[in-house]
Amino acid sequence: PLRNRGHVFHSCVRSVLLYASETWAVTTEDMKRITRSDNAMVQWICSRKLTETLSTEQLRARLGLHNIQDVVRASRLRWYGHLQRMDSEKWPRKITTLEVKGQNPRGRPRKRWIDNIREDFHHLNLYNIDPQDRGKWRAAIKPQRSSASTSNPRTTGINRR
């Protein structure tokens, strides 16, 4: 039944939480907030007690869910691949290279969407993969399952004191 709960959570809650996240310029603080709320919901779904020492990663594995950072990264890179395969005359593609004329404001520049893409390329080492090859691109950006074991009775995390 936990897998079913995880499927419903991913379909109903996460889809609303991450609506249009492929176009967000996510800062570290934004990602911390999203992760914190996602972790709280995962723990609530699993009815985690304070006496249990299960990590959120183990709970996520029981629910069959990916880390929310990996989900955001995959959706952002999926959109990037779609843009790269798009005709260069279409507006979504044109906007990615748009230069706004005028003077920049003082201070550090705000984080841009393309900065997130560069971080994602570095994190997943995607420099040698061409987004034009849809099959290879999808395989490269697909989030990996967590390695938390749920079958080992020693890692169930229940304290029996």
Side-chain angles (χ1 to χ4, degrees):
L2 278 181
R3 291 258 179 204
N4 292 343
R5 287 183 184 188
H7 182 68
V8 170
F9 174 71
H10 180 73
S11 300
C12 297
V13 179
R14 271 190 174 178
S15 62
V16 172
L17 180 66
L18 300 178
Y19 182 75
S21 64
E22 56 269 3
T23 60
W24 297 347
V26 181
T27 62
T28 305
E29 190 61 34
D30 294 335
M31 204 64 232
K32 283 180 183 177
R33 285 188 195 116
I34 293 169
T35 303
R36 198 173 321 131
S37 66
D38 186 67
N39 288 346
M41 287 185 265
V42 164
Q43 291 174 7
W44 181 73
I45 288 170
C46 292
S47 303
R48 182 171 171 241
K49 309 268 188 298
L50 290 176
T51 57
E52 296 175 348
T53 58
L54 289 172
S55 69
T56 307
E57 192 64 34
Q58 289 171 324
L59 295 176
R60 211 178 291 118
R62 285 183 176 184
L63 292 170
L65 296 172
H66 294 292
N67 184 340
I68 196 150
Q69 293 176 348
D70 295 339
V71 173
V72 170
R73 182 179 295 117
S75 68
R76 187 170 42 232
L77 288 171
R78 188 173 52 244
W79 176 243
Y80 174 77
H82 184 65
L83 285 174
Q84 294 305 306
R85 290 186 297 272
M86 193 179 284
D87 182 27
S88 62
E89 294 301 313
K90 294 200 174 189
W91 275 106
R93 177 84 185 262
K94 282 183 178 181
I95 289 173
T96 59
T97 58
L98 182 69
E99 293 286 331
V100 179
K101 293 182 181 179
Q103 212 172 20
N104 289 335
R106 288 178 50 183
R108 186 184 61 133
R110 292 177 63 185
K111 190 165 193 177
R112 301 171 302 166
W113 179 78
I114 197 68
D115 299 331
N116 285 119
I117 295 295
R118 287 188 185 117
E119 289 173 7
D120 296 341
F121 263 72
H122 179 71
H123 183 78
L124 295 176
N125 197 18
L126 296 174
Y127 298 110
N128 298 327
I129 303 196
D130 185 18
Q132 300 294 333
D133 186 353
R134 185 179 304 204
K136 286 183 182 177
W137 183 252
R138 280 191 176 179
I141 66 172
K142 185 176 181 180
Q144 301 298 317
R145 287 275 176 216
S146 64
S147 60
S149 172
T150 58
S151 60
N152 186 350
R154 292 183 182 181
T155 60
T156 56
I158 299 173
N159 286 336
R160 306 217 186 258
R161 295 181 195 195

